[in-house]
Amino acid sequence: MNVREALPDEMAAVGELRVGAYRALGLLKEGDPYTDSLRALGTDGRGEVLVAAEGERVVGTILFVPWSESSKVARGPDEAEVRAFAVAPEAQGRGVGRSLVRAVAARASERGVSRLVLSTQPSMLAAQALYRAHGFTRTPERDWTPGPGVDLLTYALALPERVAAPRPAPRPADRG
């Protein structure tokens, strides 16, 4: 399995994987207005879509979204959001989700983010266990309701501060 940025020609498959995974968990019903939004996340250039691929097949995805004025949970430029995390039902339990969470945390750290935040539905128990296993903690003060009947729990991960590699000491001038 390889975790990498999604290729432009994979975005339709990424959208379908998300919808299929959410439906398999009973989180998205046929005709749900969120379906089109879920499919489209990351296609507008906001954020970086990462995928887990086995050969040519995408089996998981996660979206890294740096803070912006339209952020739902991130509160400043030192924070970024994780969105649209999904693993194909037949690939669950094989470490795909774990690899994606590690990759998005590494991406955030590379970008100088100090805190990674996300929202999850209360029924997404396996995802919540995975987040906790990777150091995410609950942030109930950020919980929110984007629409009637949709309550979201929030989690955050404090990322270690990046330390610049030490510069080598100057070499003494040769004294001939």
Side-chain angles (χ1 to χ4, degrees):
M1 178 182 47
N2 179 34
V3 177
R4 57 172 171 72
E5 282 194 48
L7 303 172
D9 64 346
E10 292 175 320
M11 291 308 296
V14 166
E16 291 309 313
L17 183 149
R18 290 174 184 155
V19 169
Y22 277 55
R23 283 191 177 145
L25 293 171
L27 302 170
L28 196 63
K29 305 243 184 291
E30 197 67 43
D32 188 312
Y34 183 60
T35 303
D36 291 338
S37 297
L38 183 61
R39 274 191 187 106
L41 284 169
T43 61
D44 60 1
R46 288 186 294 173
E48 300 171 42
V49 179
L50 302 180
V51 296
E54 292 179 340
E56 302 279 320
R57 186 165 179 265
V58 173
V59 294
T61 183
I62 200 164
L63 177 62
F64 170 75
V65 185
W67 175 82
S68 72
E69 293 292 331
S70 64
S71 292
K72 303 295 184 196
V73 183
R75 294 188 174 162
D78 62 325
E79 295 186 344
E81 295 181 2
V82 173
R83 299 195 64 195
F85 175 45
V87 175
E90 66 277 6
Q92 292 176 7
R94 298 193 341 229
V96 174
R98 190 171 35 246
S99 295
L100 287 165
V101 170
R102 284 186 190 135
V104 79
R107 179 67 49 108
S109 186
E110 290 166 6
R111 301 289 189 274
V113 170
S114 64
R115 190 172 180 149
L116 200 52
V117 296
L118 60 85
S119 300
T120 185
Q121 293 184 31
S123 62
M124 294 177 153
L125 300 177
Q128 291 170 42
L130 180 64
Y131 302 142
R132 286 190 304 275
H134 284 84
F136 282 82
T137 56
R138 279 279 291 122
T139 51
E141 69 279 7
R142 294 188 190 205
D143 290 356
W144 61 296
T145 303
V150 181
D151 296 319
L152 297 177
L153 307 177
T154 60
Y155 283 78
L157 174 67
L159 297 169
E161 188 174 324
R162 287 184 57 196
V163 178
R167 292 186 173 185
R171 299 176 81 189
D174 287 340
R175 297 182 190 192

